[in-house]
Amino acid sequence: MPAPRPRITPSAYVAGAVVTVSGVLGAAVLSSPTVLAAALAAIVLILAWGWAGTLNLPTPRGTVGTVALGGLALVAAVGTRTTGPWLVWMPAALSLAMIAAFAHQVFRSDGRPRVVQSVSAVVLALGVLACGVLLVPPANTPEGVALVLGALAAATASSLTDLLGRWQALDGWLSALAMLAGGAAAVLVSFYLGVPWTTWLLLGVASGALSHAMRAILADLPTMAHARPRLVCALASVMIVGIVPYLIALVFVSTALPA
């Protein structure tokens, strides 16, 4: 019988990185959509730099180039828009990025081992970056800025609850604690900004759960013993919540997305 795998201790490094990245994006969204797009472009480059090593992918240089170019295309597709429809160029950018991901595999000269894993990992990275880019449209209105700040606060709060996993008795409660902390953080943001707390409660619960889920998926990777993969984990868990304020704006806060 194989020996049981050692239990993974939650990383204070990851939590600290989530707090830092969320703070940077929060400051950027308070500045302007252009500054936010620039911050997202920087995150794209950092995540691309560490993605192949995090997932232990073959041909890391090609993966870096594919993820970086695809991510920057997504940022440009949304960040250069000044009026709606905000996502009109995003499908084209995402399609070209995925074509580049497959083309990278075609032109590999190493016999293409683990080709399915490589393509899947690149597509996952592009999906995470596409979610992060969705932070830009709401940043053009005061209501949208409040939604983005609530989502980032929820991601930050959920990362801190991960540290409670150091106690084995709380292992099974981490998802619930992440949702509870995320909802509470977003509600606090709503009180501070003077907006209806009920919508922000939903925003926080969803953002906290999604951010926690991304970290939980990556936490089992053997590479998480190193600093660069932990940074990638933190970046991905913040970027993934970008879809939440955009969807909340579409469904519940129509004034958060200008026409």
Side-chain angles (χ1 to χ4, degrees):
M1 173 181 286
R5 190 172 58 181
R7 187 166 160 269
I8 296 174
T9 302
S11 171
Y13 180 98
V14 173
V18 170
V19 172
T20 302
V21 173
S22 297
V24 169
L25 289 179
V29 75
L30 287 172
S31 179
S32 72
T34 302
V35 174
L36 176 60
L40 290 172
I43 290 176
V44 164
L45 295 177
I46 297 171
L47 191 141
W49 165 68
W51 190 253
T54 299
L55 300 181
N56 194 24
L57 301 177
T59 62
R61 285 180 296 179
T63 300
V64 169
T66 304
V67 174
L69 291 176
L72 291 175
L74 290 169
V75 173
V78 180
T80 56
R81 300 286 300 175
T82 56
T83 59
W86 295 97
L87 306 185
V88 66
W89 295 337
M90 191 170 179
L94 190 56
S95 298
L96 291 174
M98 290 189 176
I99 290 172
F102 283 98
H104 166 231
Q105 301 303 320
V106 171
F107 291 105
R108 282 173 58 182
S109 59
D110 60 348
R112 291 194 287 275
R114 299 158 57 201
V115 64
V116 174
Q117 180 184 355
S118 296
V119 173
S120 301
V122 171
V123 171
L124 174 61
L126 294 173
V128 169
L129 295 176
C131 289
V133 168
L134 293 178
L135 291 171
V136 175
N140 288 272
T141 65
E143 296 87 351
V145 168
L147 287 173
V148 172
L149 292 176
L152 294 174
T156 297
S158 72
S159 72
L160 298 177
T161 63
D162 288 353
L163 299 178
L164 297 176
R166 295 174 183 273
W167 290 276
Q168 194 165 6
L170 295 177
D171 263 356
W173 297 91
L174 291 181
S175 296
L177 291 171
M179 290 188 286
L180 179 63
V187 167
L188 288 176
V189 169
S190 74
F191 287 158
Y192 180 76
L193 298 177
V195 292
W197 66 269
T198 49
T199 302
W200 267 254
L201 176 61
L202 174 62
L203 172 81
V205 169
S207 298
L210 196 57
S211 182
H212 170 77
M214 176 56 70
R215 288 189 300 274
I217 289 170
L218 297 177
D220 281 337
L221 297 176
T223 56
M224 284 298 136
H226 305 289
R228 188 188 303 185
R230 289 177 180 178
L231 176 59
V232 168
C233 177
L235 292 172
S237 71
V238 175
M239 293 289 276
I240 195 72
V241 304
I243 193 173
V244 180
Y246 186 83
L247 292 179
I248 294 291
L250 281 179
V251 178
F252 297 108
V253 191
S254 58
T255 56
L257 291 175

